[in-house]
C-alpha cells in the first residue's frame, strides 16, 4: 500500500512538472522511494560492534546502546533525501536545464546551428558557448546515475525539438564509434516511426501472464538465511549476558561485539530484502503493469504504446559468469518516452517472447541467436574448411576437394540425434561408448531427416527419440479422432482373452548432485555442536563438574545433527522423465509427485542461471514461456541432458513458435 501511494505521488508530481513545460521534453529518472542501500547493513553493523566493545560494564547499556545507534543511523539515512532539495535535469525547448527545488539554477541553450555535443563512449555532454563549448555533465548508459538520462531518449528528444544532437569521438575513443552509434539510433527511430504508423501487432495469446523474479520461494530462502544469522547473534548475546564477579572480561566484550555485528547486519539485510520489491510484470493484450526496485511502478495501456526498446545491462558475477538483464523504454505514437522499466532477474528472452506474443512491437538492434560455436576439436574445420559430412556404407567422414578424413564403420557404435536450444545436434559414439563427435547439423550441412534416413538405409544404429515421441503423439491424436468418428464397438465376450496392455515407456530418474547433498550433513553437525556448546556454557554453574560433561555432549550433538541430515537426505525428491512427461517426486522419485507436466505441454528442459548466478531447473512451454522454475532441487545439467535425450524430451530453451516436429536444421 505504501509503495502504491509513493507511486501515485510520483506520478502526480510528474504531471505537475509536465504541465509547466510546453512541447516535447524529457527529465531525469526519479530515485527510489525506499531507502535500503547495500552498504547500510555492514556500515551500521560495524559501528554497533564498536559501541558494544567500548561500552561500560552495564549489561543493559552495552546491549541497547548499539541497537539504538544502528536504528538511528537508518532513520537519518531515510530522512536525509526527503530533507534536502532534489536536483532534476530537464531537456525541453527552453534548453538543457538543471532544476533544484523546482527552480532552474542553470540553463544551457542550444539551436540547430549550435547543437548539444555528446561523446559516444564517455557520454560527456557539452553545451555550445560563444567561444566553443563547455562541459555540462555526464549521461549514464541506462538512466540510473549521474544525469539519470539514457543516451537514446536524450538523442531522440533533441530530434523532436528540432536541434539534433551531435555525437563525436572523444579523446582516446576509437574512430568511427560516434558514426556507428548515430546510425543505430537512426534505425531505431525509423523502426519506431514504422511501429507508430502500422499500429499494434495481432496477439498470439489473449490471456495475461505474470512474471516475477525473484519468486516467493527465493525470497523466503533469503529471509530464512537472515533469520538464521539473527538467531546466531541473539544466542551470542545471550551467552555473554551472564553476571560475572570480576566485571566484563576481555573475551566477553569481544563475544558481545561480534554478536552485535552479526545481529545488526542480519537485521539490516532482512529489512533490505523485505523492503526491496521484486521485479513483477503483468503483460496482457490490454496493457502492461511493471514493478521493479529501480524505476517503481509502470502502468500503461496497450493503445498508448507504439514500441518497446530493450537495452542489455550486463553484470560481471565473477568466475567468468555474466548476468544479462534488460532496461526497457516505452515510447508513444509521437515518439515520446512514456516510461522506463527494469526486468530484474527475469530472463530477457522469456520477457521479450511474452511481450511479442501479446502483440507488442519490440525493437531490437539485432535479434538474439541460438547458434553455438563449434569446438574445433570436434570438427576438422581447420584442416578441411570446405569439406562436407558424408555417410558411406563403410565409413563416416568429411570429404572435400583437398582431402578427406574418415572414421571406419567398425569403430562406430551409434548415431544419436537430439535438440539443443532449438537446433538439432548429432552425437557420434564409438564402440566402447566414447564420444567421437558432438556438433550441430547446421555445421555438418545435413538435415535431420536426410541423416536419419541414410543411416537407417545403410544399417547404422541411429536413435532419434524426439522424432519418435512426436510421431507417437501425432499417431495417438489421429487414432483418438478416428475413434470419435466410428460407431461404438460391441462389448467383448466375457470368455475372450483380455487385450494385452501396452508396454509402458521406461522412465529415467535423475537424482540430485552429491555436492549439494553434503551440506545437509555439514549443517546438521554444526547446528548440533553449536547447540550443545551453548548449553554447556550456560549450564556450567549448575553442575560441579563444570564443562567436563561437554566432552560427550558435543559429540552427541554432532551425531544427532548428522542423523537429522541423513533423514532429510533420504526424503529428498528426484526428477523423473519419461514418455508421460516430467515430474518431481519425493523419496528419490518413488513417492508422491510435487509437480508434473505432461509431454505435450513441455517445449524444453534445461538448467540456467538466475538471481545472481544461482542455477535453476527450468521447464519451458512450446512457445518459449517458463512454466516451471525449481531453484531448490537442481539436478546435474549433464545428467539431465542425457536423460532428456534418452526419453525424447527436448533439451534447452525452445524457439518461439507453435508446437511441431523437431527442427531439421
Amino acid at each position: 500500500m505504501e509503495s502504491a501511494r509513493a507511486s501515485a505521488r510520483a506520478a502526480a508530481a510528474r504531471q505537475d512538472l509536465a504541465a509547466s513545460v510546453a512541447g516535447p521534453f524529457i527529465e531525469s529518472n526519479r530515485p527510489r522511494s525506499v531507502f535500503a542501500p547495500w552498504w547500510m547493513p555492514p556500515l551500521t553493523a560495524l559501528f554497533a560492534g564498536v559501541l558494544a566493545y567500548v561500552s561500560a560494564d552495564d549489561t543493559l547499556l552495552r546491549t541497547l546502546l548499539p541497537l539504538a545507534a544502528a536504528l538511528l543511523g537508518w532513520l537519518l539515512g531515510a530522512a536525509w533525501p526527503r530533507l534536502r532539495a532534489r536536483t532534476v535535469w530537464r531537456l525541453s525547448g527552453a534548453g538543457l536545464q538543471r532544476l533544484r527545488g523546482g527552480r532552474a539554477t542553470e540553463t544551457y541553450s542550444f539551436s540547430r546551428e549550435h547543437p548539444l555535443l555528446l561523446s559516444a563512449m564517455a557520454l560527456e555532454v557539452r553545451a555550445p558557448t560563444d567561444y566553443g563549448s563547455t562541459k555540462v555533465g555526464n549521461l549514464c548508459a541506462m538512466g540510473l546515475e549521474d544525469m539519470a538520462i539514457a543516451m537514446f531518449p536524450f538523442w531522440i528528444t533533441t530530434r523532436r525539438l528540432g536541434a539534433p544532437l551531435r555525437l563525436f569521438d572523444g579523446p582516446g575513443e576509437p574512430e568511427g564509434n560516434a558514426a556507428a552509434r548515430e546510425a543505430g539510433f537512426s534505425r531505431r527511430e525509423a523502426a519506431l516511426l514504422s511501429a507508430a504508423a502500422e499500429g499494434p501487432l495481432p496477439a498470439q495469446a489473449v490471456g495475461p501472464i505474470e512474471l516475477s523474479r525473484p519468486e516467493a520461494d527465493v525470497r523466503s530462502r533469503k529471509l530464512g538465511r537472515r533469520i538464521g544469522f539473527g538467531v546466531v547473534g541473539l544466542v551470542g548475546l545471550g551467552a555473554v549476558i551472564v553476571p560475572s564477579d570480576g566485571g566484563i572480561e576481555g573475551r566477553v566484550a569481544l563475544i558481545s561485539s561480534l554478536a552485535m555485528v552479526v545481529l545488526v547486519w542480519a537485521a539490516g539485510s532482512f529489512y533490505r530484502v523485505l523492503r526491496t520489491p521484486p521485479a513483477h510484470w503483468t503483460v496482457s493484450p490490454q496493457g502492461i503493469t511493471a514493478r521493479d526496485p529501480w524505476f517503481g511502478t509502470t502502468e500503461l495501456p496497450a493503445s498508448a504504446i507504439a514500441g518497446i526498446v530493450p537495452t542489455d545491462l550486463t553484470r560481471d558475477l565473477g568466475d567468468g559468469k555474466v548476468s544479462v538483464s534488460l532496461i526497457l523504454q516505452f515510447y508513444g505514437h509521437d515518439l515520446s518516452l512514456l516510461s522506463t522499466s527494469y526486468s530484474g532477474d527475469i530472463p530477457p528472452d522469456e520477457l521479450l517472447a511474452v511481450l511479442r506474443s501479446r502483440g507488442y512491437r519490440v525493437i531490437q538492434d539485432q535479434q538474439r541467436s541460438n547458434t553455438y560455436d563449434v569446438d574445433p576439436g570436434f570438427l576438422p574445420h581447420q584442416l578441411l574448411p570446405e569439406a562436407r559430412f558424408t555417410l558411406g556404407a563403410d565409413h563416416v567422414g568429411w570429404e572435400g576437394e583437398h582431402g578427406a578424413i574418415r572414421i571406419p564403420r567398425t569403430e562406430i557404435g551409434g548415431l544419436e540425434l537430439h535438440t539443443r536450444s532449438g537446433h538439432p545436434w548429432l552425437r557420434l559414439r564409438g564402440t566402447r561408448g566414447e564420444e567421437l563427435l558432438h556438433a550441430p547439423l547446421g555445421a555438418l550441412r545435413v538435415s535431420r531427416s536426410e541423416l536419419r534416413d541414410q543411416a537407417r538405409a545403410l544399417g547404422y544404429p541411429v536413435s532419434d527419440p524426439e522424432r519418435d515421441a512426436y510421431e507417437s503423439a501425432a499417431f495417438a491424436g489421429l487414432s483418438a479422432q478416428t475413434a470419435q468418428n466410428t460407431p461404438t464397438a460391441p462389448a467383448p465376450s466375457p470368455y475372450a482373452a483380455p487385450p494385452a496392455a501396452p508396454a509402458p515407456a521406461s522412465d529415467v530418474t535423475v537424482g540430485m548432485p552429491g555436492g549439494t547433498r553434503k551440506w545437509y550433513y555439514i549443517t546438521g553437525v554444526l547446528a548440533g555442536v553449536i547447540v550443545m556448546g551453548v548449553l554447556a556454557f550456560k549450564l556450567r554453574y549448575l553442575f560441579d563438574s563444570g564443562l567436563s560433561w561437554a566432552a560427550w555432549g558435543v559429540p552427541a550433538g554432532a551425531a544427532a545433527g548428522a542423523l537429522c541430515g541423513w533423514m532429510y537426505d533420504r526424503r529428498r525428491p528426484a526428477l523423473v522423465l519419461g514418455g508421460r512427461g516430467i515430474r518431481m517426486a519425493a523419496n528419490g522419485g518413488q513417492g508422491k509427485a510435487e509437480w508434473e507436466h505432461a509431454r505435450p505441454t513441455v517445449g524444453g528442459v534445461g538448467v540456467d542461471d538466475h538471481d545472481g548466478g544461482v542455477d535453476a531447473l527450468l521447464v519451458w512451454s512450446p512457445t518459449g514461456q517458463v512454466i516451471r522454475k525449481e531453484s531448490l532441487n537442481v539436478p546435474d545439467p549433464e545428467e539431465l541432458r542425457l536423460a532428456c535425450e534418452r526419453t525424447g524430451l527436448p533439451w534447452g530453451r525452445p524457439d518461439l513458435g507453435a508446437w511441431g516436429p523437431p527442427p531439421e536444421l
Side-chain angles (χ1 to χ4, degrees):
M1 182 64 68
E2 183 179 351
S3 61
R5 289 195 297 266
S7 177
R9 290 195 299 267
R14 186 174 182 87
Q15 290 177 1
D16 295 340
L17 289 174
S20 62
V21 180
F25 77 100
I26 188 175
E27 289 183 353
S28 56
N29 296 314
R30 299 182 179 277
R32 304 184 189 183
S33 59
V34 177
F35 178 77
W38 63 269
W39 46 265
M40 200 66 179
L43 186 63
T44 54
L46 293 177
F47 182 67
V50 172
L51 282 182
Y53 187 80
V54 301
S55 295
D57 296 351
D58 183 72
T59 303
L60 187 62
L61 182 63
R62 74 169 185 264
T63 303
L64 297 182
L65 180 62
L67 295 177
L71 181 59
L72 181 62
W74 276 89
L75 294 177
L76 291 177
W80 174 250
R82 302 177 183 272
L83 297 177
R84 67 185 182 93
R86 178 175 173 265
T87 300
V88 178
W89 287 91
R90 178 192 293 170
L91 178 64
S92 63
L96 180 59
Q97 297 177 323
R98 182 170 183 169
L99 290 81
R100 186 176 180 85
R103 295 184 178 182
T105 58
E106 298 178 11
T107 301
Y108 303 92
S109 59
F110 56 90
S111 62
R112 181 178 294 275
E113 293 77 16
H114 302 285
L116 291 173
L117 304 177
L118 176 63
S119 61
M121 292 189 64
L123 303 183
E124 178 183 305
V125 181
R126 304 188 68 86
T129 59
D130 296 336
Y131 55 86
S133 62
T134 180
K135 181 180 177 181
V136 177
N138 286 76
L139 297 181
C140 63
M142 299 303 166
L144 301 175
E145 53 196 12
D146 295 334
M147 292 179 69
I149 302 178
M151 191 175 184
F152 177 65
F154 193 80
W155 181 85
I156 200 172
T157 303
T158 57
R159 299 265 299 177
R160 297 175 62 218
L161 292 172
L165 180 69
R166 203 182 94 193
L167 304 182
F168 69 95
D169 297 321
E173 298 180 1
E175 186 178 357
N177 188 25
R181 286 286 185 93
E182 192 161 5
F185 289 166
S186 299
R187 289 191 296 268
R188 285 188 188 179
E189 183 185 19
L192 283 174
L193 289 171
S194 176
E198 296 176 1
L201 295 171
Q204 301 177 1
V206 296
I209 186 171
E210 295 187 4
L211 304 174
S212 180
R213 297 291 191 282
E215 293 182 344
D217 57 343
V218 178
R219 289 175 60 85
S220 298
R221 287 198 302 275
K222 290 183 178 180
L223 293 174
R225 288 196 295 266
R226 283 149 179 82
I227 291 175
F229 282 110
V231 171
V232 172
L234 290 176
V235 170
L237 288 179
V240 298
I241 300 178
V242 177
S244 179
D245 298 335
I248 301 178
E249 302 177 357
R251 60 180 181 179
V252 175
L254 180 61
I255 294 175
S256 176
S257 176
L258 294 178
M260 188 62 65
V261 168
V262 173
L263 180 61
V264 174
W265 199 328
S269 301
F270 184 88
Y271 174 80
R272 286 195 70 240
V273 177
L274 198 63
R275 293 289 292 165
T276 304
H280 185 89
W281 285 65
T282 303
V283 183
S284 68
Q286 292 74 32
I288 297 176
T289 301
R291 185 183 71 242
D292 63 82
W294 286 5
F295 301 103
T297 302
T298 297
E299 295 185 9
L300 293 174
S303 59
I305 303 174
I308 303 174
V309 178
T311 306
D312 290 345
L313 178 63
T314 59
R315 292 176 296 171
D316 189 6
L317 303 177
D319 298 333
K321 295 184 178 180
V322 177
S323 173
V324 180
S325 54
L326 293 177
I327 300 292
L328 295 102
Q329 299 163 358
F330 300 88
Y331 289 88
H333 296 277
D334 58 348
L335 302 192
S336 61
L337 180 63
L338 302 178
S339 182
T340 306
S341 295
Y342 175 54
S343 66
D345 295 325
I346 300 175
D349 292 337
E350 178 185 352
L351 179 57
L352 296 183
V354 169
L355 290 172
R356 290 192 180 98
S357 65
R358 266 63 183 178
Y360 296 96
R361 294 183 180 271
V362 179
I363 299 172
Q364 290 181 278
D365 295 335
Q366 57 182 0
Q367 295 291 336
R368 293 178 178 269
S369 175
N370 288 329
T371 58
Y372 287 81
D373 295 332
V374 180
D375 189 352
F378 287 103
L379 293 177
H381 284 171
Q382 296 179 346
L383 300 178
L384 300 173
E386 81 289 349
R388 292 179 60 88
F389 179 78
T390 59
L391 188 64
D394 55 353
H395 70 276
V396 172
W398 295 262
E399 298 181 1
E401 298 179 358
H402 304 286
I405 298 178
R406 298 179 177 179
I407 301 177
R409 181 170 180 172
T410 56
E411 299 180 5
I412 298 175
L415 291 82
E416 301 175 359
L417 293 169
H418 61 277
T419 302
R420 183 173 180 178
S421 296
H423 295 270
W425 282 59
L426 168 67
R427 178 180 286 108
L428 185 64
R429 294 192 180 276
T431 54
R432 295 187 299 272
E434 70 277 11
E435 188 176 275
L436 302 177
L437 167 70
H438 188 212
L441 298 186
L444 302 180
R445 307 173 190 175
V446 60
S447 67
R448 190 177 198 146
S449 299
E450 180 184 359
L451 177 60
R452 184 176 59 253
D453 295 342
Q454 288 184 4
R456 290 175 178 174
L458 295 175
Y460 283 91
V462 57
S463 62
D464 192 353
E466 296 173 18
R467 183 70 188 186
D468 298 339
Y470 169 74
E471 292 178 352
S472 300
F475 179 75
L478 181 61
S479 301
Q481 294 178 3
T482 305
Q484 292 178 0
N485 297 330
T486 56
T488 305
S493 173
Y495 300 100
S506 58
D507 294 339
V508 177
T509 303
V510 181
M512 301 300 120
T516 60
R517 298 168 55 187
K518 66 181 181 182
W519 289 106
Y520 294 104
Y521 297 91
I522 296 176
T523 304
V525 170
L526 291 179
V529 170
I530 291 175
V531 171
M532 295 303 297
V534 171
L535 289 177
F537 182 79
K538 299 298 293 182
L539 301 178
R540 65 185 185 276
Y541 298 111
L542 300 180
F543 300 93
D544 298 336
S545 58
L547 294 176
S548 61
W549 69 279
W552 60 267
V554 172
L563 180 62
C564 293
W566 176 77
M567 294 177 62
Y568 184 84
D569 187 35
R570 287 196 59 188
R571 299 176 59 251
R572 185 173 181 137
L575 199 64
V576 182
L577 298 86
R580 294 181 298 176
I582 181 173
R583 69 180 186 273
M584 181 73 73
N587 296 331
Q590 304 298 325
K592 183 180 179 181
E594 298 181 1
W595 54 263
E596 58 181 333
H597 297 282
R599 176 65 179 84
T601 63
V602 178
V605 181
V607 176
D608 201 355
D609 295 341
H610 81 108
D611 294 339
V614 180
D615 289 338
L617 168 66
L618 300 177
V619 181
W620 292 278
S621 68
T623 58
Q625 300 176 6
V626 176
I627 58 178
R628 176 65 58 179
K629 183 180 72 66
E630 179 71 33
S631 55
L632 184 60
N633 300 294
V634 182
D636 183 70
E638 185 66 20
E639 295 183 5
L640 180 59
R641 179 181 59 82
L642 295 176
C644 288
E645 295 173 8
R646 287 195 295 265
T647 57
L649 288 171
W651 168 258
R653 183 191 300 273
D655 290 340
L656 182 63
W659 173 256
E664 293 291 330
L665 285 176

